[in-house]
Amino acid sequence: MEKADYIVVLITTSSQEEARKIAELLVSSRKAACVNIVPEISSLFRWKDKVESAPESLLVVKTKASLFTDIVELVKRSHSYQVPEIIALPILAGSEDYLKWLDSTCQ
């Protein structure tokens, strides 16, 4: 197993309810092995040439890199934002047992 075959995807949402809905879709469709929900973060960002701030929830998605395109499509269909944050970071190292579980859980 190559470690670069696995990623962590970060997705922000407008609410805990939206985060829960998207997390359930990702896990039930086997696009993610595990999704952590950070219920409240404070985000500062530039949108339409203005600096904005908003409370958001953060999803931390553990999955296989090969599923990233599917995840983007699923999230875009389910998300309330015009341009949702969906970014992936490679997993460079991890417990071999955890990575095997992740591999067997995601399809």
Side-chain angles (χ1 to χ4, degrees):
M1 256 180 285
E2 290 295 317
K3 305 305 185 253
D5 290 343
Y6 307 99
I7 56 175
V8 172
V9 181
L10 303 176
I11 302 166
T12 52
T13 63
S14 64
S15 67
Q16 290 182 49
E17 294 77 24
E18 183 174 47
R20 179 75 182 194
K21 178 182 90 170
I22 291 171
E24 287 177 355
L25 284 170
L26 290 169
V27 173
S28 67
S29 67
R30 299 185 69 119
K31 302 302 179 198
C34 175
V35 180
N36 303 113
I37 300 172
V38 182
E40 192 170 327
I41 61 171
S42 179
S43 296
L44 188 66
F45 52 94
R46 182 171 292 280
W47 180 249
K48 296 188 178 182
D49 216 23
K50 288 175 47 184
V51 175
E52 304 277 350
S53 65
E56 294 183 301
S57 291
L58 175 66
L59 300 176
V60 181
V61 181
K62 277 73 75 171
T63 189
K64 298 190 316 188
S66 62
L67 296 173
F68 183 71
T69 300
D70 294 344
I71 289 169
V72 170
E73 291 173 11
L74 185 149
V75 171
K76 283 184 171 184
R77 284 194 309 268
S78 310
H79 208 291
S80 64
Y81 290 171
Q82 185 179 354
V83 182
E85 173 188 3
I86 312 166
I87 59 173
L89 306 170
I91 295 175
L92 301 177
S95 155
E96 202 64 33
D97 291 339
Y98 185 84
L99 295 178
K100 283 181 184 177
W101 170 77
L102 196 155
D103 196 47
S104 68
T105 304
C106 296
Q107 296 180 355

